[in-house]
Amino acid sequence: MFSKSRHLKAIDITVSFLFFSFLVVGYVFICSDNEYKLNQQMARGYITSGAVFFDFDNPAIRPYGSKASDYPEENNNKVTTTKHYDPDFILQNKVLDDGMTSVEKLLTLSDADCFAALHKSTMRAVYYSGDISLPPVIDGRFLTEEECLSDKCYAVVGRNLEKDVYNENSKKYYDYLGRKYEVLGITGIAGKSALDSIVFINIGSLLPEEQLDGIYYIDCADNNETVYQSFANSARSLFGCDLKIRRTPIAFIDIVSGKIYMKDYLLVIMVGLMLFVYINTLIQYIERNRLKISIMKLCGSRTGRILKETGRSYIIDCIIGILIGFTILIILLCTGFFALEYSYGLSVILGLLGASLGLAILGFLFYVSSVIKTEPQEIIRQI
């Protein structure tokens, strides 16, 4: 009797621990994965690993490492070549009839949600459209879509540069590129990051020739390659030359992790293990009560009474595990355990809470089905 009682108690603890683990492990895994991705972005100056870098394939610039002999026009010989080189070509960023420069026109061609920026040292001259993730600000706000193309000077500066921001006529300003930029916000996260030294300015504030000085990148909510291709298809008509993809910078965090950390297959394995434990625990719980269910059925008890007597502990165990897990998650959220936005952490908690309740209800329905299908004669015969 003692050993059986201990077994029953162990199953109850297992059910509670299962739902506690589902909440806590799920939250830690999801938030760790997103914090890792955020760290990658921060290491690049808020640029994801999937961003596409490109610049203009200026035919007036001979490719690095090539020789004059590669180009027949320089040797006055008659050998043909597929390489394109035009030393007389002049790359221009013309001001079009609608007032936009060719660069600005190029960046506005895609209908997809898009964040594009001119990347030069710690400067990001940005244009974006649609519903995308913007760099986090700790004070003020980020540029609006309309302000990106304005010829007025707007900036969002990293908090390390806040010491150089000054007040004038109830507004904040930052001197940059020989111009006075109105500071709309201060960017950064809870901890220190490369974002602290970045200057985000609107692409429209730059002179046409300045918009050609540097490389661009696309970092979108949709497919970056598709957006880049739409840009590339229009580049020749706007500039007389093509675009070329540049190699994405590798962050130090990629070298350390070897790009293994939080791979998708780890998520699949974790979910598979959790489901295996969930199903196995549920089966054990049903088997634990099968004899009691059979005896109650032989005594004429109705299904409702059987469920009340045998299924009550399952509901209590689920509630205990979920409440303890939920409490731990709220503590992790309030203490800022992960360097993520509060709203994101809360959404993850609510999502996991909903999933936990769903699994608890699904398990109870499965238990109800087993009670209905239990044949007491068969169980007694096995004993």
Side-chain angles (χ1 to χ4, degrees):
M1 184 67 181
F2 174 77
S3 61
K4 183 177 180 181
S5 176
R6 185 172 58 184
H7 174 69
L8 298 179
K9 186 176 180 180
I11 293 296
D12 288 332
I13 294 175
T14 301
V15 172
S16 296
F17 184 75
L18 173 65
F19 283 92
F20 166 82
S21 300
F22 180 79
L23 284 168
V24 175
V25 174
Y27 182 79
V28 170
F29 189 96
I30 293 172
C31 290
S32 295
D33 185 33
N34 279 273
E35 188 177 55
Y36 169 72
K37 292 176 180 177
L38 180 63
N39 287 336
Q40 283 186 314
Q41 285 184 281
M42 296 309 162
R44 299 185 182 93
Y46 205 75
I47 303 173
T48 67
S49 59
V52 173
F53 284 75
F54 68 92
D55 63 3
F56 300 95
D57 192 11
N58 190 345
I61 301 176
R62 184 190 300 158
Y64 178 78
S66 62
K67 304 187 293 289
S69 58
D70 293 330
Y71 302 93
E73 62 271 21
E74 291 190 343
N75 292 309
N76 295 320
N77 57 41
K78 298 181 180 180
V79 179
T80 60
T81 179
T82 58
K83 295 184 178 181
H84 177 60
Y85 176 57
D86 182 3
D88 298 322
F89 180 84
I90 299 177
L91 179 62
Q92 294 182 313
N93 183 23
K94 300 178 181 178
V95 178
L96 307 177
D97 295 336
D98 57 4
M100 288 196 296
T101 65
S102 297
V103 166
E104 294 167 358
K105 191 71 173 180
L106 182 74
L107 300 181
T108 58
L109 289 176
S110 177
D111 295 328
D113 297 341
C114 174
F115 185 96
L118 173 65
H119 181 292
K120 184 179 180 182
S121 186
T122 58
M123 182 193 76
R124 308 287 187 269
V126 305
Y127 167 78
Y128 71 89
S129 62
D131 183 19
I132 58 170
S133 177
L134 296 173
V137 293
I138 56 178
D139 184 33
R141 62 175 178 85
F142 198 75
L143 297 156
T144 66
E145 184 176 334
E146 293 74 20
E147 288 169 340
C148 289
L149 295 177
S150 173
D151 57 0
K152 295 182 180 180
C153 297
Y154 298 110
V156 178
V157 302
R159 60 182 172 188
N160 287 348
L161 306 173
E162 189 175 6
K163 62 182 183 299
D164 298 321
V165 175
Y166 58 92
N167 294 311
E168 187 176 299
N169 298 325
S170 301
K171 292 183 179 181
K172 296 180 179 180
Y173 291 94
Y174 177 71
D175 293 333
Y176 191 63
L177 302 176
R179 293 184 281 272
K180 185 193 301 183
Y181 278 83
E182 181 183 346
V183 177
L184 303 177
I186 307 297
T187 185
I189 57 174
K192 295 181 179 180
S193 70
L195 200 61
D196 297 340
S197 301
I198 300 295
V199 179
F200 293 94
I201 63 174
N202 54 317
I203 187 73
S205 68
L206 297 179
L207 299 175
E209 56 271 21
E210 290 176 326
Q211 293 179 352
L212 296 176
D213 187 14
I215 62 174
Y216 282 85
Y217 68 87
I218 306 167
D219 210 358
C220 314
D222 296 322
N223 191 307
N224 293 329
E225 296 286 349
T226 301
V227 177
Y228 167 77
Q229 196 56 53
S230 69
F231 289 174
N233 293 338
S234 304
R236 181 161 287 277
S237 62
L238 288 170
F239 301 95
C241 67
D242 298 319
L243 302 180
K244 60 180 178 181
I245 291 181
R246 297 284 292 270
R247 180 179 298 177
T248 302
I250 298 177
F252 179 73
I253 193 171
D254 293 325
I255 300 174
V256 173
S257 68
K259 297 186 178 180
I260 296 177
Y261 185 78
M262 293 303 180
K263 287 287 188 180
D264 290 339
Y265 68 81
L266 293 178
L267 175 62
V268 174
I269 292 174
M270 189 195 75
V271 172
L273 288 174
M274 293 294 290
L275 289 177
F276 173 78
V277 175
Y278 169 75
I279 294 173
N280 184 60
T281 302
L282 190 59
I283 292 174
Q284 289 187 53
Y285 190 89
I286 293 172
E287 290 298 325
R288 182 197 76 171
N289 290 288
R290 194 175 294 277
L291 179 59
K292 186 175 181 179
I293 293 170
S294 300
I295 294 174
M296 293 184 70
K297 279 192 172 185
L298 289 174
C299 294
S301 298
R302 295 183 178 182
T303 302
R305 178 175 175 79
I306 296 174
L307 290 174
K308 182 179 179 180
E309 291 293 330
T310 63
R312 179 171 51 191
S313 61
Y314 170 81
I315 297 175
I316 294 175
D317 296 338
C318 291
I319 292 175
I320 291 175
I322 291 174
L323 285 178
I324 296 176
F326 179 74
T327 302
I328 296 298
L329 298 193
I330 293 298
I331 292 174
L332 293 177
L333 179 66
C334 294
T335 56
F337 187 81
F338 293 101
L340 299 170
E341 293 184 4
Y342 179 86
S343 59
Y344 175 79
L346 184 60
S347 67
V348 173
I349 291 176
L350 294 177
L352 289 172
L353 182 62
S356 298
L357 291 174
L359 285 175
I361 294 172
L362 183 64
F364 186 73
L365 292 176
F366 186 76
Y367 181 75
V368 171
S369 176
S370 70
V371 170
I372 295 174
K373 294 179 179 180
T374 296
E375 295 292 339
Q377 296 83 359
E378 182 65 26
I379 301 301
I380 298 301
R381 189 180 305 114
Q382 291 176 6
I383 296 176

